[in-house]
Amino acid sequence: MNFLTIVIRSLWRRPVRTSLTLVGISIGIAAVITLVGLASGYEKSVVRQLDVIGIDVIVSNMEGGMMPKAFDESMKAEIAKLPDTEKVTTVLMQMLSVEDAPMMMVSGREWEGFTWDQLEVEEGRMPKDASEKAVVIGRLAAEVLKKKVGDTVQIETDEFQVVGIVDGQSVVENGAIILALPLFQEVSGYQGKVNFIDIKVPKNTDSGRITALCEKIEALFPEVRAVKAGEVVGTSQGFRIARAMSWSTSLLAIIVGVLGVMNTMLMTVFERTHEIGILLALGWKRRRIVFLVLCESAILGLLGGMVGVILGAGALKILELTPTIRGMLEPDLSGGLVIQAICIAVGVGVVSGLYPAWRSSRLTPSLALQG
Amino acid sequence: MKMLLRHLALPALLGTLCFSTTTRAQEFSAKDLAGRLSAAVLDGDSVTKLRMKIEPSGGGDKTLVQVQIKARRLPGKTQVVYQLLWPKERMGESFLLSKTKGNSAEGHSFRLPKEVTSLKSAQLKDSVFGSDLAYLDVVENFFAWESQSLAGQETINRVNCLILESKPGSSDSTLYGVVRSWVDPKKLVTMRVEKFDPSGKLVRRIDTDRVAKSDLGKDIPASLVVTRPGSGTVTELEGSNIRHDVKYSDHDFTVPAMADLRIPR
């Protein structure tokens, strides 16, 4: 009987207990996969949206509420005069509850601004001009609102005709209602106001020049912040909080897993004092006994991690289909996250096995054989 | 975009149900706590949008409406206009309420096509748009009542709350005998409100499900659940937007302006 057989046989000796321990670890790992996958998907969908639209710099005012504060749209003209600004466009975006649907993004965009360019019409057409009382809706928003081309949608107090269903190539865009800026300003009571200025810089502009552009904008208009699109996720406190919350919640689940494995391994050691005594009498070194216990707990962790990944992936899939999340974000299950989760599970196994392993190493052959 | 960071709207509303003002956790006297909450309620001119879901008892069809609230809350005087924006066939249905210190609230309701009804004090216990809220709930500021006392502490939704007990004085015109509020002392947000009639029977409970930042950067209840013991109905209020950059005239709180859905700038 070799070392590995002893490890597997001892885990298999109590299949119910081993299975329950596996369930404990796998729930913890599933929590990691689900929560971190959601947070990461959220970040990626925002980054993808910015990439697709081709925004290099975002100007907004995050003071106050949950939405960037509206500011005068005339600011755009001044920003457009600055060097390294190839295209500048304005957006008024609000999260609104539309008809019977929960919160969704409504985006009023400057007519002919570059933020319209990436929208691909799947059905219908784009609005004819800035004055046509019409909207296009992302395909996810169309599903949520149960709208098709030719229907009307009520935004605040006004009705708009749905003239097109579009693919915005990112989950954020696909979950939005998009209309011409003046129409949205009128209906939302924000005449002459916007809450984003999006800037595209010439190709091959180096990062230092973009940083300088941001600084110039902030010097000209101290009330706003200009952020490089690539840094929105990294610098945003909101994203950091989402990440921290998902990891800290996962940590609690992991701690429960650690305690479960530790309990199982302690029970195993106590039940096997006789066996350990024989192994010691046969000449096994103490460190080999320690290694045996650690291997058992690491394998428990590994198996729990694998089951947890499968459970977590399933949970993400289900969450993706729920009405609350559908269209709002795209959960992300990357290879990196899977490897991270499995490493955590194995780590949990090893850490949980340390104390039982230490206890087993303190046994003496004579005491162990006495039982 | 960044706005998504703070997603999920906010919204407060319900005048006296929602208040805010972030402070550090500290010891409060009942008067001090009530004073701060009352001051937070009196936030001047505002417009709030919210989604109201009314679940009837016995599991019938839920009613869903979008509501716009124009409010002017000043020391000694509160005026509100509640207007239905959706569904389309009820758009414009509205009511107007006004309450001055020491007097009973009064106002008018407007139903389509052109029915204007006067709301007298006896009707203030009637339901707002068929929900579990009464007219009085949206205009009354019980934090300004004479008698305020602390009745202990309790954890609500993992938030350690102070329980503030408000009782009306002889000059406070109300239908309620006692109102108990579970207040998060750090954020100065009510996590629960229970309203009792003069006989001590619980009439209405309002639980805060979610807290968000207002446009003024203050914490406010963004999602509320209203229940009436024994009725079996549940009303959920999900705020989507609150703005204080509006300026009303006296005309905006008159009967002719009641059905005007535009937001004055």
Side-chain angles (χ1 to χ4, degrees), chain A residues 42 49 55 64-68 94 97 99-101 103 105 154 156-157 159 188-190 227 236 239, chain B residues 1-10 49 51 66 85-86 88 91 214-215 240-241 243 261 265:
Chain A
Y42 183 30
Q49 182 207 16
I55 298 170
M66 64 210 180
M67 289 293 300
Q94 299 285 313
S97 174
E99 297 190 348
D100 60 348
M103 307 295 289
M105 189 167 80
Q154 187 179 321
E156 303 286 53
T157 54
E159 276 199 320
S188 60
Y190 279 106
V227 181
S236 157
F239 281 116
Chain B
M1 296 256 184
K2 279 187 174 182
M3 134 296 237
L4 286 173
L5 310 182
R6 316 242 181 129
H7 66 92
L8 303 193
L10 56 102
K49 305 281 172 61
R51 183 172 179 255
Q66 300 275 2
L85 301 183
W86 192 86
K88 188 180 161 186
M91 184 160 72
S214 76
D215 59 329
S240 64
N241 199 352
R243 290 170 59 184
L261 302 176
R265 300 289 298 172

Side-chain angles (χ1 to χ4, degrees), chain A residues 166-186:
Chain A
V166 294
D167 178 3
Q169 298 166 61
S170 76
V171 74
V172 179
E173 292 281 273
N174 285 339
I177 297 176
I178 300 159
L179 69 164
L181 177 63
L183 295 174
F184 191 39
Q185 287 173 323
E186 180 66 32

Side-chain angles (χ1 to χ4, degrees), chain B residues 164-179:
Chain B
L164 181 69
E165 199 166 88
S166 312
K167 289 180 183 166
S170 54
S171 63
D172 298 311
S173 175
T174 180
L175 301 169
Y176 298 112
V178 180
V179 175

Side-chain angles (χ1 to χ4, degrees), chain A residues 10-232:
Chain A
S10 65
L11 287 175
W12 198 242
R13 187 180 294 159
R14 301 274 188 186
V16 175
R17 190 170 66 198
T18 303
S19 306
L20 286 174
T21 310
L22 282 183
V23 169
I25 305 172
S26 56
I27 287 173
I29 296 303
V32 172
I33 292 282
T34 311
L35 296 172
V36 179
L38 277 177
S40 154
Y42 183 30
E43 290 176 14
K44 283 195 176 170
S45 58
V46 172
V47 170
R48 194 174 307 136
Q49 182 207 16
L50 300 176
D51 268 359
V52 166
I53 300 176
I55 298 170
D56 295 308
V57 174
I58 298 167
V59 180
S60 65
N61 179 345
M62 290 300 291
E63 265 176 35
M66 64 210 180
M67 289 293 300
K69 206 170 170 180
F71 51 84
D72 205 294
E73 64 184 344
S74 62
M75 197 184 284
K76 178 209 161 181
E78 296 301 310
I79 290 175
K81 288 178 197 164
L82 296 173
D84 295 322
T85 53
E86 184 180 292
K87 290 179 181 174
V88 182
T89 189
T90 48
V91 177
L92 175 65
M93 236 182 319
Q94 299 285 313
M95 291 293 284
L96 296 176
S97 174
V98 176
E99 297 190 348
D100 60 348
M103 307 295 289
M104 62 193 329
M105 189 167 80
V106 182
S107 174
R109 299 181 180 185
E110 184 183 347
W111 189 246
E112 295 184 332
F114 70 88
T115 47
W116 289 90
D117 296 348
Q118 94 293 354
L119 301 174
E120 286 176 9
V121 178
E122 287 194 337
E123 280 177 57
R125 60 174 175 82
M126 297 296 272
K128 286 175 191 155
D129 52 47
S131 62
E132 185 186 8
K133 211 161 179 190
V135 299
V136 291
I137 53 180
R139 51 191 168 83
L140 289 172
E143 278 179 41
V144 172
L145 289 165
K146 300 179 199 76
K147 298 287 182 189
K148 54 186 189 306
V149 173
D151 288 348
T152 57
V153 61
Q154 187 179 321
I155 301 173
E156 303 286 53
T157 54
D158 284 23
E159 276 199 320
F160 295 83
Q161 194 179 13
V162 178
V163 295
I165 310 284
V166 294
D167 178 3
Q169 298 166 61
S170 76
V171 74
V172 179
E173 292 281 273
N174 285 339
I177 297 176
I178 300 159
L179 69 164
L181 177 63
L183 295 174
F184 191 39
Q185 287 173 323
E186 180 66 32
V187 74
S188 60
Y190 279 106
Q191 289 88 345
K193 304 275 183 183
V194 295
N195 54 5
F196 288 101
I197 295 179
D198 296 331
I199 302 168
K200 193 179 241 185
V201 301
K203 267 188 182 166
N204 304 322
T205 305
D206 67 55
S207 177
R209 290 185 71 93
I210 301 177
T211 306
L213 172 65
C214 293
E215 286 168 0
K216 272 181 209 160
I217 292 168
E218 289 181 4
L220 265 175
F221 304 104
E223 68 271 32
V224 297
R225 275 199 69 204
V227 181
K228 285 197 261 186
E231 291 174 2
V232 166

